[in-house]
Amino acid sequence: MKLGRLNHIGIATPSIADSIAFYRDVMGATKIHAPFDLSDQGVKVCFVDTPTDSSGLGGMNGTQIELIEPLPGNASIAAFLEKNPAGGQHHVCYEVPDIHAAKAWFEGQGKRVLGAPRIGAHGTLIFFVHPRDMQGVLTEIMETPQGH
Ligand code: CO
């Protein structure tokens, strides 16, 4: 398993509009992307960039916050918000160079991979690993986007 950079931290929210205002006005975010629907996964998504470290050496360079709001009919994020009405940290996402090799690795370790690799919010293949097998953290594994 070749661990790549921390691509993003997923945060569930009952309102992306309210969360955008929070990240802009309270946290000082200056680069907030346009929200879009990821209909396949029943969510609306909005990425907020954290600044690139000017040294270029930081391991956190350009890590994003992924705001996630359930679309009508979504079950899993809606259930999460029932337990966490104000929203909360939902998952972390690490990049890997080869999504299929990573899936085989986690399965070989006895970790429960949730479904087949599918196209995620960045347009590359992703899968999730069950939080109970991942130290309590729902973990998204994502193939590194081209150009990174
Ligand atoms: Co994600």
Side-chain angles (χ1 to χ4, degrees):
M1 165 69 187
K2 187 166 183 344
L3 179 66
R5 69 189 269 280
L6 178 63
N7 181 280
H8 63 264
I9 296 168
I11 295 182
T13 173
S15 164
I16 277 183
D18 290 351
S19 291
I20 286 174
F22 171 82
Y23 279 92
R24 184 189 59 221
D25 300 338
V26 179
M27 297 302 290
T30 56
K31 188 151 186 218
I32 300 173
H33 298 258
F36 61 96
D37 289 356
L38 200 58
S39 309
D40 278 5
Q41 295 177 35
V43 291
K44 181 189 286 279
V45 169
C46 175
F47 284 103
V48 177
D49 291 0
T50 62
T52 302
D53 152 10
S54 58
S55 76
L57 299 173
M60 300 285 283
N61 259 356
T63 296
Q64 293 177 307
I65 302 297
E66 178 187 34
L67 300 170
I68 311 158
E69 179 188 315
L71 291 172
N74 177 294
S76 62
I77 302 292
F80 181 92
L81 289 173
E82 249 169 60
K83 286 189 216 146
N84 308 275
Q89 187 181 329
H90 181 260
H91 66 272
V92 296
C93 176
Y94 298 100
E95 294 180 14
V96 296
D98 181 332
I99 196 81
H100 300 290
K103 179 171 184 281
W105 168 261
F106 283 112
E107 287 173 343
Q109 297 289 313
K111 309 302 185 192
R112 281 167 286 181
V113 170
L114 305 172
R118 53 199 177 276
I119 296 292
H122 289 85
T124 65
L125 288 168
I126 64 107
F127 61 79
F128 285 89
V129 191
H130 200 292
R132 284 196 204 110
D133 296 342
M134 297 297 282
Q135 308 267 297
V137 179
L138 177 61
T139 302
E140 181 180 1
I141 300 294
M142 163 185 168
E143 196 157 89
T144 302
Q146 296 298 319
H148 279 228

